[in-house]
Amino acid sequence: MDTKMNRREMIAALAALTTTGVTAAQESTSPESEVPASRTGPGNLITDVEGLQVGQSQNESIRTGVTVILPDEAAVAACDVRGGGPASRETDVLKPENLVQVVDGIVLSGGSVYGLASADGVAAWMGARNRGFSFRPTPGIPPSPILPTACLYDLANGGDKAWGESPPYRDLGVEAIESVGKEFALGTAGAGYGANSGGLKGGLGSASAVSADGITVGAITGVNSMGSAIAPGGKQFWAAPFEIGDEFGGLGTSGLAAGPEDYSPAMQPRTNTTLACIATDVALSRVELQRIAIMANDGMARALRPSHGPFDGDIVFALSTGRKEAAAGIPRQFLVTRLGALAADVLARAIARAIYEATPFAEGGNPAWRDL
Amino acid sequence: MDTKMNRREMIAALAALTTTGVTAAQESTSPESEVPASRTGPGNLITDVEGLQVGQSQNESIRTGVTVILPDEAAVAACDVRGGGPASRETDVLKPENLVQVVDGIVLSGGSVYGLASADGVAAWMGARNRGFSFRPTPGIPPSPILPTACLYDLANGGDKAWGESPPYRDLGVEAIESVGKEFALGTAGAGYGANSGGLKGGLGSASAVSADGITVGAITGVNSMGSAIAPGGKQFWAAPFEIGDEFGGLGTSGLAAGPEDYSPAMQPRTNTTLACIATDVALSRVELQRIAIMANDGMARALRPSHGPFDGDIVFALSTGRKEAAAGIPRQFLVTRLGALAADVLARAIARAIYEATPFAEGGNPAWRDL
């Protein structure tokens, strides 16, 4: 029956991508029991994806912040909005029928609708450096930096929001883009600085995976979810089945259980939202990235319970830096399947790491996971 | 800080729905540790939802079948298509801006595109009995039964598909609607008869939950997924954290773990698909059911890994029989959140039960879970 592929055949088929410096040969001759295990990238961060940097900023008294994902060159991207309370801009441009097929960056921000201004700062900064889309570049006419952006709701977290007509987000955007690099802080940082998650302090998380044949998939997320990242009655993360090493405590899965209406420690419905961006170095089309974004949102579902509810503006951006070409001869949908499944696992891990790394505010606010 | 609700407050708020014969009073005075546990309905089937019946048919030599979900009266419904390879009909009618706000039934079928004919049989049967939508009923003009339908791909499962120009699905649809009742078979039955799932025999599953205040949420599903319902290296179900009693073996969660590229026992990419319908007795609008369908799809993500890929035509229908009214004074979005979260858990359990109950074909085909 030709629908049947055993585990080894499937992995071999999916893995038969010739990538820079790596061939599928090592895979095709190994017995099933020796299928090479995937591993995290060197930093276990989204910046393990070649051609990508991250910058962050935050304001401690306001309790909010901004995270910018910056590809070295304009990159193909897509997004999947799945929550009921999104705050976003430049998501329409990502639709496949539209003109511009690439983005100059992705912005994640606190501040709900006010946070959308963070991209104003990033756009002005990039435009002044002649970075952005121009159909026909002309001296004296700035290009248009394409910066899809989404925000989480951290207005009611106890920070000082008396900004009147001068919200801080434009400046926070500039500060974030000026700080870009390969390393960045997790936990109470960037877009996750002011976040809360299911009764605990939320935060900023990231993770990566490198496949046996050298593909890197990374994720970054600001976790401000209504639902919880941990199972009731303990500290174990819903994402525990996918943990690599002890990247979020290594507590295992034995206590993962929840009755139908058990959402402890607490749901905090107001306007919540988990923001995420996944990235890979494999060259992909926008349509392929759309399916990968959809599959990555399943990682959010596995890491947070409940998720994608009316109070969450959950969104996943997906981005390709295009540094590696997939091998010809393998159906592209196998590649998409494989990358979507990888992205889901990586995002689930990044969400757990956000909560694991979070530290509490100096005073007031939710307890941090580490203090449970 | 007004965003904060502790666990008890949240559950009390969400549970403060006055439903037939049940009030929220018992909840509002109980301490947190005594929040009443939810339980399954009497049959642990979708038909525990008042006002709902299910009928099924199957053909053993062709290895396919049909499942019809039949509300006693036309019911409000919505759907969320999430997979990359759907086969469906009458899903456009479910959009909120369209004329007809109710459906006469939901049809799930094997047979890929050929299975869409199953609804022809059901429609003819119902129309001949004067059941269906008429804007202005007129003698001699049959009503139009509204029957949203989705199909899974079981064409390559080893059954005899040499039907030429006479596929069997219209007749299987009639046979299914004629068999409706409160009880129906699980496992290798109905729309799940010919199904396969992640290298194992797939099947038809169902489950239900009754909340402390008497709301019933049920699910039914035909599981033909590319991804697996069990974690690699054992028999434990991904849905194990949500299991009630030993409804799918009671094996627990201690072995739930998977590396980034470990999808054993096997992925079988061709055209797969998990079909589902969730239902509740609480009166809801189509727009509210839309969000509940979206949240229910998270239950599919938790029960199957990977899910919602290019080869899966995954879809969740959501239906309300409207037998109970939610209490006034509670924000409707709290109700939606609660029901969406319940539906996700119930669907995850139903998926596991499909695989748990499946029996292998008489000869050939995938092993059943029970034979692992």
Short mmCIF file of all heavy atoms in Angstrom, two decimals, chain A residues 1-4 38 80 82 156 211 241 253-254 256 258 261-263 270 291 298 301-302 304-305 307-308 338 341 345 366, chain B residues 1-4 7 38 80 82 156 211 241 253-254 256 258 261 263 270 291 298 301-302 304-305 307-308 338 341 345 366:
data_model
loop_
_atom_site.label_atom_id
_atom_site.label_comp_id
_atom_site.label_asym_id
_atom_site.label_seq_id
_atom_site.Cartn_x
_atom_site.Cartn_y
_atom_site.Cartn_z
N MET A 1 0.86 -1.20 0.00
CA MET A 1 0.00 0.00 0.00
C MET A 1 0.88 1.23 0.00
O MET A 1 1.68 1.44 0.91
CB MET A 1 -0.87 -0.03 1.25
CG MET A 1 -2.10 0.85 1.13
SD MET A 1 -3.34 0.36 2.35
CE MET A 1 -2.40 0.44 3.87
N ASP A 2 0.75 2.03 -1.03
CA ASP A 2 1.73 3.10 -1.22
C ASP A 2 1.57 4.26 -0.23
O ASP A 2 2.36 5.17 -0.24
CB ASP A 2 1.72 3.59 -2.66
CG ASP A 2 0.40 4.24 -3.03
OD1 ASP A 2 -0.57 4.11 -2.24
OD2 ASP A 2 0.34 4.85 -4.08
N THR A 3 0.53 4.26 0.54
CA THR A 3 0.44 5.33 1.54
C THR A 3 1.36 5.08 2.71
O THR A 3 1.53 5.93 3.56
CB THR A 3 -0.98 5.45 2.11
OG1 THR A 3 -1.38 4.16 2.56
CG2 THR A 3 -1.92 6.00 1.09
N LYS A 4 1.89 3.89 2.80
CA LYS A 4 2.63 3.53 4.00
C LYS A 4 4.09 3.93 3.92
O LYS A 4 4.80 3.53 3.00
CB LYS A 4 2.55 2.02 4.23
CG LYS A 4 1.27 1.59 4.88
CD LYS A 4 1.42 0.13 5.29
CE LYS A 4 0.41 -0.25 6.33
NZ LYS A 4 0.59 -1.65 6.72
N SER A 38 17.59 15.48 16.77
CA SER A 38 17.71 16.91 16.64
C SER A 38 18.23 17.47 17.95
O SER A 38 18.18 16.84 18.99
CB SER A 38 16.36 17.52 16.31
OG SER A 38 15.82 16.94 15.15
N ASP A 80 -0.36 34.02 11.05
CA ASP A 80 -1.63 33.36 11.34
C ASP A 80 -2.20 33.95 12.62
O ASP A 80 -1.69 33.69 13.71
CB ASP A 80 -1.41 31.84 11.49
CG ASP A 80 -2.69 31.10 11.81
OD1 ASP A 80 -3.71 31.36 11.12
OD2 ASP A 80 -2.70 30.27 12.73
N ARG A 82 -4.90 33.97 15.35
CA ARG A 82 -5.77 32.88 15.82
C ARG A 82 -6.58 33.25 17.05
O ARG A 82 -7.52 32.57 17.40
CB ARG A 82 -4.87 31.66 16.11
CG ARG A 82 -5.60 30.37 16.33
CD ARG A 82 -6.30 29.87 15.08
NE ARG A 82 -6.85 28.54 15.28
CZ ARG A 82 -7.84 28.02 14.55
NH1 ARG A 82 -8.35 28.69 13.55
NH2 ARG A 82 -8.30 26.81 14.79
N ALA A 156 -2.84 46.92 32.33
CA ALA A 156 -3.37 46.83 33.70
C ALA A 156 -2.45 46.02 34.61
O ALA A 156 -2.91 45.34 35.52
CB ALA A 156 -4.77 46.21 33.66
N SER A 211 17.91 20.42 12.95
CA SER A 211 17.61 19.06 12.51
C SER A 211 18.90 18.32 12.19
O SER A 211 19.98 18.92 12.07
CB SER A 211 16.72 19.10 11.28
OG SER A 211 17.46 19.60 10.17
N PRO A 241 6.57 17.56 27.34
CA PRO A 241 6.94 16.45 26.43
C PRO A 241 7.96 16.83 25.37
O PRO A 241 8.61 15.96 24.80
CB PRO A 241 5.59 16.08 25.78
CG PRO A 241 4.55 16.49 26.76
CD PRO A 241 5.11 17.75 27.39
N THR A 253 6.94 14.87 32.91
CA THR A 253 5.54 14.91 32.49
C THR A 253 4.59 14.15 33.40
O THR A 253 3.39 14.11 33.13
CB THR A 253 5.42 14.29 31.07
OG1 THR A 253 5.84 12.93 31.13
CG2 THR A 253 6.28 15.04 30.06
N SER A 254 5.10 13.57 34.48
CA SER A 254 4.25 12.65 35.23
C SER A 254 3.04 13.32 35.87
O SER A 254 2.04 12.68 36.13
CB SER A 254 5.07 11.93 36.30
OG SER A 254 5.59 12.88 37.20
N LEU A 256 1.25 15.86 34.57
CA LEU A 256 0.40 16.61 33.63
C LEU A 256 -1.01 16.03 33.63
O LEU A 256 -1.26 14.97 33.07
CB LEU A 256 0.98 16.53 32.22
CG LEU A 256 2.32 17.22 31.98
CD1 LEU A 256 2.70 17.10 30.51
CD2 LEU A 256 2.29 18.67 32.40
N ALA A 258 -5.36 17.48 34.09
CA ALA A 258 -6.29 18.56 34.38
C ALA A 258 -7.70 18.08 34.13
O ALA A 258 -7.99 17.53 33.07
CB ALA A 258 -5.99 19.79 33.53
N GLU A 261 -12.64 21.38 34.03
CA GLU A 261 -12.80 22.80 34.36
C GLU A 261 -11.74 23.27 35.33
O GLU A 261 -11.96 24.21 36.10
CB GLU A 261 -14.18 23.06 34.93
CG GLU A 261 -15.27 22.60 33.99
CD GLU A 261 -16.35 23.63 33.82
OE1 GLU A 261 -16.11 24.66 33.14
OE2 GLU A 261 -17.42 23.43 34.39
N ASP A 262 -10.60 22.63 35.29
CA ASP A 262 -9.52 23.00 36.21
C ASP A 262 -8.49 23.84 35.46
O ASP A 262 -7.71 23.33 34.66
CB ASP A 262 -8.88 21.75 36.79
CG ASP A 262 -8.01 22.08 38.00
OD1 ASP A 262 -7.88 23.28 38.32
OD2 ASP A 262 -7.49 21.14 38.61
N TYR A 263 -8.52 25.15 35.73
CA TYR A 263 -7.62 26.08 35.04
C TYR A 263 -6.72 26.81 36.02
O TYR A 263 -6.37 27.96 35.83
CB TYR A 263 -8.42 27.07 34.20
CG TYR A 263 -9.31 26.38 33.21
CD1 TYR A 263 -10.68 26.37 33.38
CD2 TYR A 263 -8.77 25.70 32.13
CE1 TYR A 263 -11.50 25.73 32.48
CE2 TYR A 263 -9.58 25.05 31.22
CZ TYR A 263 -10.95 25.06 31.40
OH TYR A 263 -11.76 24.41 30.52
N ARG A 270 -8.93 39.46 30.42
CA ARG A 270 -9.14 40.86 30.11
C ARG A 270 -8.78 40.93 28.63
O ARG A 270 -9.47 40.36 27.81
CB ARG A 270 -8.26 41.77 30.96
CG ARG A 270 -8.61 43.22 30.69
CD ARG A 270 -8.38 44.09 31.92
NE ARG A 270 -8.67 45.48 31.62
CZ ARG A 270 -8.84 46.38 32.57
NH1 ARG A 270 -8.79 46.06 33.84
NH2 ARG A 270 -9.10 47.64 32.24
N ARG A 291 1.25 28.08 5.94
CA ARG A 291 0.89 26.78 6.52
C ARG A 291 1.77 26.48 7.74
O ARG A 291 1.32 25.92 8.73
CB ARG A 291 1.01 25.68 5.45
CG ARG A 291 0.78 24.25 5.92
CD ARG A 291 -0.54 23.99 6.61
NE ARG A 291 -1.70 24.41 5.87
CZ ARG A 291 -2.95 24.42 6.35
NH1 ARG A 291 -3.19 24.01 7.59
NH2 ARG A 291 -3.95 24.85 5.62
N ASP A 298 -0.26 25.40 16.66
CA ASP A 298 -0.56 24.19 17.44
C ASP A 298 0.41 24.04 18.60
O ASP A 298 0.05 23.47 19.64
CB ASP A 298 -0.49 22.95 16.54
CG ASP A 298 -1.73 22.81 15.67
OD1 ASP A 298 -2.66 23.62 15.80
OD2 ASP A 298 -1.76 21.87 14.85
N ALA A 301 -1.07 25.94 21.29
CA ALA A 301 -2.17 25.18 21.90
C ALA A 301 -1.64 24.13 22.87
O ALA A 301 -2.24 23.89 23.92
CB ALA A 301 -3.00 24.52 20.81
N ARG A 302 -0.51 23.53 22.54
CA ARG A 302 0.03 22.48 23.41
C ARG A 302 0.69 23.06 24.66
O ARG A 302 0.78 22.41 25.69
CB ARG A 302 1.03 21.62 22.63
CG ARG A 302 0.35 20.83 21.52
CD ARG A 302 1.32 19.99 20.69
NE ARG A 302 0.61 19.45 19.53
CZ ARG A 302 0.99 19.59 18.26
NH1 ARG A 302 2.13 20.19 17.97
NH2 ARG A 302 0.27 19.09 17.28
N LEU A 304 -0.12 26.09 26.19
CA LEU A 304 -0.99 26.96 26.98
C LEU A 304 -2.40 26.37 26.97
O LEU A 304 -2.90 25.98 25.92
CB LEU A 304 -1.04 28.37 26.40
CG LEU A 304 0.27 29.15 26.39
CD1 LEU A 304 0.13 30.41 25.54
CD2 LEU A 304 0.68 29.52 27.82
N ARG A 305 -3.04 26.38 28.14
CA ARG A 305 -4.40 25.83 28.23
C ARG A 305 -5.25 26.70 29.12
O ARG A 305 -4.91 26.85 30.28
CB ARG A 305 -4.34 24.41 28.79
CG ARG A 305 -5.73 23.81 29.07
CD ARG A 305 -5.63 22.40 29.56
NE ARG A 305 -6.92 21.84 29.93
CZ ARG A 305 -7.48 22.02 31.14
NH1 ARG A 305 -6.90 22.75 32.08
NH2 ARG A 305 -8.65 21.47 31.40
N SER A 307 -6.12 28.20 25.09
CA SER A 307 -5.46 29.16 24.21
C SER A 307 -6.42 29.57 23.11
O SER A 307 -7.47 28.95 22.93
CB SER A 307 -4.19 28.55 23.61
OG SER A 307 -4.48 27.35 22.92
N HIS A 308 -6.05 30.64 22.38
CA HIS A 308 -6.82 31.09 21.23
C HIS A 308 -8.26 31.45 21.60
O HIS A 308 -9.17 31.29 20.79
CB HIS A 308 -6.80 30.04 20.11
CG HIS A 308 -5.41 29.68 19.67
ND1 HIS A 308 -4.95 28.39 19.56
CD2 HIS A 308 -4.35 30.45 19.34
CE1 HIS A 308 -3.70 28.38 19.14
NE2 HIS A 308 -3.30 29.62 19.01
N ARG A 338 7.26 19.02 7.61
CA ARG A 338 8.36 18.85 8.55
C ARG A 338 8.66 20.14 9.30
O ARG A 338 8.82 20.14 10.53
CB ARG A 338 9.59 18.39 7.77
CG ARG A 338 10.76 18.07 8.61
CD ARG A 338 11.98 17.79 7.73
NE ARG A 338 13.08 17.37 8.55
CZ ARG A 338 14.35 17.47 8.19
NH1 ARG A 338 14.66 17.93 6.99
NH2 ARG A 338 15.30 17.07 9.00
N ALA A 341 5.83 21.07 11.78
CA ALA A 341 5.88 20.26 12.99
C ALA A 341 7.03 20.69 13.89
O ALA A 341 6.88 20.79 15.11
CB ALA A 341 6.01 18.78 12.61
N ASP A 345 6.79 22.47 17.88
CA ASP A 345 7.54 22.04 19.06
C ASP A 345 8.43 23.16 19.60
O ASP A 345 8.52 23.38 20.81
CB ASP A 345 8.42 20.82 18.73
CG ASP A 345 7.62 19.54 18.56
OD1 ASP A 345 6.39 19.56 18.72
OD2 ASP A 345 8.24 18.50 18.27
N ASN A 366 1.88 39.51 39.77
CA ASN A 366 1.79 38.07 39.92
C ASN A 366 3.11 37.47 40.39
O ASN A 366 4.18 38.00 40.12
CB ASN A 366 1.44 37.43 38.57
CG ASN A 366 -0.04 37.54 38.24
OD1 ASN A 366 -0.87 37.65 39.12
ND2 ASN A 366 -0.35 37.52 36.96
N MET B 1 -5.85 45.19 41.70
CA MET B 1 -5.77 45.22 40.24
C MET B 1 -6.95 44.43 39.67
O MET B 1 -7.11 43.24 39.94
CB MET B 1 -4.45 44.59 39.81
CG MET B 1 -4.01 45.00 38.44
SD MET B 1 -2.24 44.74 38.23
CE MET B 1 -2.09 43.01 38.66
N ASP B 2 -7.77 45.08 38.89
CA ASP B 2 -9.05 44.46 38.52
C ASP B 2 -8.92 43.36 37.48
O ASP B 2 -9.89 42.72 37.15
CB ASP B 2 -10.03 45.54 38.05
CG ASP B 2 -9.57 46.23 36.80
OD1 ASP B 2 -8.39 46.07 36.42
OD2 ASP B 2 -10.37 46.94 36.21
N THR B 3 -7.73 43.17 36.95
CA THR B 3 -7.59 42.06 36.01
C THR B 3 -7.46 40.72 36.74
O THR B 3 -7.52 39.68 36.12
CB THR B 3 -6.32 42.19 35.15
OG1 THR B 3 -5.23 42.41 36.01
CG2 THR B 3 -6.47 43.29 34.14
N LYS B 4 -7.26 40.79 38.03
CA LYS B 4 -6.95 39.56 38.73
C LYS B 4 -8.20 38.84 39.22
O LYS B 4 -9.02 39.40 39.91
CB LYS B 4 -6.08 39.87 39.95
CG LYS B 4 -4.64 40.08 39.62
CD LYS B 4 -3.86 40.11 40.90
CE LYS B 4 -2.41 39.81 40.69
NZ LYS B 4 -1.69 39.84 41.96
N ARG B 7 -8.55 31.49 41.05
CA ARG B 7 -9.16 30.34 40.41
C ARG B 7 -10.64 30.21 40.77
O ARG B 7 -11.49 30.00 39.92
CB ARG B 7 -8.40 29.09 40.88
CG ARG B 7 -8.99 27.80 40.36
CD ARG B 7 -8.24 26.63 40.98
NE ARG B 7 -8.90 25.38 40.66
CZ ARG B 7 -8.79 24.30 41.40
NH1 ARG B 7 -8.06 24.30 42.49
NH2 ARG B 7 -9.41 23.20 41.05
N SER B 38 -15.97 18.29 37.12
CA SER B 38 -16.79 17.92 35.98
C SER B 38 -16.70 16.42 35.81
O SER B 38 -15.80 15.75 36.32
CB SER B 38 -16.30 18.64 34.73
OG SER B 38 -16.28 20.02 34.92
N ASP B 80 -14.71 25.49 11.70
CA ASP B 80 -13.36 26.01 11.57
C ASP B 80 -12.52 25.01 10.78
O ASP B 80 -12.17 23.95 11.29
CB ASP B 80 -12.75 26.25 12.96
CG ASP B 80 -11.34 26.81 12.89
OD1 ASP B 80 -11.12 27.76 12.11
OD2 ASP B 80 -10.46 26.30 13.60
N ARG B 82 -9.13 23.94 9.34
CA ARG B 82 -7.78 24.27 9.80
C ARG B 82 -6.69 23.48 9.07
O ARG B 82 -5.52 23.85 9.13
CB ARG B 82 -7.71 24.01 11.31
CG ARG B 82 -6.48 24.54 12.00
CD ARG B 82 -6.45 26.04 12.04
NE ARG B 82 -5.34 26.54 12.85
CZ ARG B 82 -4.81 27.76 12.71
NH1 ARG B 82 -5.30 28.60 11.83
NH2 ARG B 82 -3.81 28.14 13.45
N ALA B 156 -7.16 4.75 -0.11
CA ALA B 156 -5.99 3.88 -0.30
C ALA B 156 -5.78 2.95 0.89
O ALA B 156 -4.65 2.62 1.23
CB ALA B 156 -4.74 4.73 -0.54
N SER B 211 -20.53 19.85 33.08
CA SER B 211 -19.95 20.77 34.06
C SER B 211 -20.71 20.69 35.37
O SER B 211 -21.80 20.12 35.46
CB SER B 211 -20.00 22.19 33.52
OG SER B 211 -21.35 22.64 33.50
N PRO B 241 -3.38 13.75 29.54
CA PRO B 241 -3.62 14.69 30.65
C PRO B 241 -5.10 15.00 30.86
O PRO B 241 -5.47 15.47 31.94
CB PRO B 241 -2.87 15.96 30.21
CG PRO B 241 -1.78 15.48 29.30
CD PRO B 241 -2.41 14.32 28.57
N THR B 253 0.61 9.73 32.07
CA THR B 253 1.35 10.71 31.27
C THR B 253 2.86 10.61 31.41
O THR B 253 3.58 11.39 30.78
CB THR B 253 0.95 12.14 31.70
OG1 THR B 253 1.30 12.33 33.07
CG2 THR B 253 -0.54 12.37 31.52
N SER B 254 3.34 9.64 32.19
CA SER B 254 4.77 9.68 32.51
C SER B 254 5.67 9.48 31.30
O SER B 254 6.81 9.94 31.29
CB SER B 254 5.09 8.64 33.58
OG SER B 254 4.79 7.35 33.08
N LEU B 256 5.09 10.60 28.17
CA LEU B 256 4.84 11.55 27.07
C LEU B 256 6.10 12.36 26.78
O LEU B 256 6.45 13.26 27.53
CB LEU B 256 3.70 12.49 27.43
CG LEU B 256 2.31 11.88 27.59
CD1 LEU B 256 1.29 12.98 27.86
CD2 LEU B 256 1.90 11.08 26.37
N ALA B 258 8.78 13.49 23.21
CA ALA B 258 9.12 13.33 21.80
C ALA B 258 10.19 14.33 21.43
O ALA B 258 10.07 15.52 21.72
CB ALA B 258 7.90 13.54 20.92
N GLU B 261 12.14 15.61 15.97
CA GLU B 261 11.81 14.96 14.71
C GLU B 261 11.39 13.52 14.90
O GLU B 261 11.54 12.69 14.00
CB GLU B 261 13.00 15.04 13.74
CG GLU B 261 13.43 16.46 13.51
CD GLU B 261 13.67 16.77 12.06
OE1 GLU B 261 12.68 16.94 11.31
OE2 GLU B 261 14.84 16.82 11.68
N TYR B 263 8.48 11.15 15.08
CA TYR B 263 7.05 11.05 14.81
C TYR B 263 6.62 9.59 14.68
O TYR B 263 5.74 9.26 13.90
CB TYR B 263 6.70 11.81 13.52
CG TYR B 263 7.09 13.25 13.60
CD1 TYR B 263 8.15 13.74 12.84
CD2 TYR B 263 6.43 14.12 14.45
CE1 TYR B 263 8.52 15.07 12.92
CE2 TYR B 263 6.79 15.45 14.54
CZ TYR B 263 7.84 15.91 13.78
OH TYR B 263 8.21 17.22 13.86
N ARG B 270 -0.54 11.38 2.81
CA ARG B 270 -1.18 11.28 1.51
C ARG B 270 -2.26 12.34 1.59
O ARG B 270 -1.94 13.51 1.66
CB ARG B 270 -1.77 9.89 1.26
CG ARG B 270 -2.26 9.82 -0.18
CD ARG B 270 -2.15 8.41 -0.74
NE ARG B 270 -2.71 8.36 -2.08
CZ ARG B 270 -2.51 7.38 -2.91
NH1 ARG B 270 -1.75 6.37 -2.56
NH2 ARG B 270 -3.08 7.38 -4.11
N ARG B 291 -15.96 30.88 17.48
CA ARG B 291 -14.81 30.95 18.39
C ARG B 291 -14.64 29.61 19.13
O ARG B 291 -13.51 29.15 19.36
CB ARG B 291 -14.98 32.12 19.36
CG ARG B 291 -13.93 32.26 20.44
CD ARG B 291 -12.49 32.37 19.96
NE ARG B 291 -12.28 33.38 18.93
CZ ARG B 291 -11.13 33.54 18.27
NH1 ARG B 291 -10.08 32.75 18.52
NH2 ARG B 291 -11.01 34.46 17.34
N ASP B 298 -7.87 23.38 19.07
CA ASP B 298 -6.69 23.23 19.94
C ASP B 298 -6.68 21.86 20.61
O ASP B 298 -5.60 21.33 20.92
CB ASP B 298 -6.67 24.33 21.00
CG ASP B 298 -6.20 25.67 20.44
OD1 ASP B 298 -5.83 25.73 19.25
OD2 ASP B 298 -6.19 26.65 21.20
N ALA B 301 -5.02 19.69 18.26
CA ALA B 301 -3.57 19.91 18.31
C ALA B 301 -2.94 19.18 19.49
O ALA B 301 -1.82 18.66 19.39
CB ALA B 301 -3.27 21.40 18.40
N ARG B 302 -3.65 19.14 20.61
CA ARG B 302 -3.09 18.47 21.80
C ARG B 302 -3.15 16.96 21.68
O ARG B 302 -2.34 16.26 22.30
CB ARG B 302 -3.84 18.95 23.05
CG ARG B 302 -3.63 20.44 23.31
CD ARG B 302 -4.37 20.95 24.54
NE ARG B 302 -4.26 22.41 24.60
CZ ARG B 302 -5.29 23.26 24.68
NH1 ARG B 302 -6.53 22.81 24.75
NH2 ARG B 302 -5.08 24.56 24.68
N LEU B 304 -3.09 15.12 18.73
CA LEU B 304 -2.42 14.57 17.54
C LEU B 304 -1.16 15.38 17.26
O LEU B 304 -1.19 16.61 17.30
CB LEU B 304 -3.34 14.65 16.31
CG LEU B 304 -4.63 13.83 16.38
CD1 LEU B 304 -5.56 14.23 15.24
CD2 LEU B 304 -4.33 12.33 16.31
N ARG B 305 -0.08 14.70 16.94
CA ARG B 305 1.18 15.39 16.64
C ARG B 305 1.86 14.74 15.46
O ARG B 305 2.18 13.57 15.55
CB ARG B 305 2.08 15.36 17.87
CG ARG B 305 3.49 15.92 17.61
CD ARG B 305 4.31 15.89 18.88
NE ARG B 305 5.66 16.32 18.63
CZ ARG B 305 6.65 15.51 18.19
NH1 ARG B 305 6.43 14.25 17.92
NH2 ARG B 305 7.86 15.98 18.00
N SER B 307 -0.38 18.09 13.67
CA SER B 307 -1.76 18.23 13.21
C SER B 307 -1.85 19.45 12.32
O SER B 307 -0.92 20.26 12.26
CB SER B 307 -2.71 18.36 14.41
OG SER B 307 -2.32 19.43 15.25
N HIS B 308 -3.00 19.56 11.61
CA HIS B 308 -3.28 20.74 10.79
C HIS B 308 -2.24 20.97 9.70
O HIS B 308 -1.97 22.11 9.33
CB HIS B 308 -3.43 21.99 11.68
CG HIS B 308 -4.50 21.85 12.73
ND1 HIS B 308 -4.32 22.16 14.05
CD2 HIS B 308 -5.78 21.41 12.64
CE1 HIS B 308 -5.42 21.94 14.74
NE2 HIS B 308 -6.32 21.49 13.91
N ARG B 338 -15.25 29.54 28.37
CA ARG B 338 -15.44 28.31 29.13
C ARG B 338 -15.82 27.14 28.22
O ARG B 338 -15.28 26.04 28.33
CB ARG B 338 -16.54 28.57 30.17
CG ARG B 338 -16.78 27.44 31.10
CD ARG B 338 -18.00 27.71 31.97
NE ARG B 338 -18.14 26.66 32.95
CZ ARG B 338 -19.29 26.37 33.54
NH1 ARG B 338 -20.36 27.08 33.29
NH2 ARG B 338 -19.35 25.38 34.41
N ALA B 341 -12.90 26.05 25.94
CA ALA B 341 -11.90 25.27 26.67
C ALA B 341 -12.42 23.86 26.95
O ALA B 341 -11.69 22.87 26.79
CB ALA B 341 -11.54 25.99 27.97
N ASP B 345 -10.88 20.08 25.39
CA ASP B 345 -10.57 18.89 26.17
C ASP B 345 -11.42 17.69 25.73
O ASP B 345 -10.91 16.56 25.62
CB ASP B 345 -10.84 19.14 27.66
CG ASP B 345 -9.79 20.05 28.30
OD1 ASP B 345 -8.84 20.46 27.63
OD2 ASP B 345 -9.94 20.34 29.51
N ASN B 366 -3.15 -1.32 8.76
CA ASN B 366 -2.36 -0.97 9.93
C ASN B 366 -2.76 -1.77 11.15
O ASN B 366 -3.92 -2.18 11.28
CB ASN B 366 -2.57 0.52 10.25
CG ASN B 366 -1.74 1.42 9.36
OD1 ASN B 366 -0.70 1.03 8.86
ND2 ASN B 366 -2.22 2.64 9.16
#
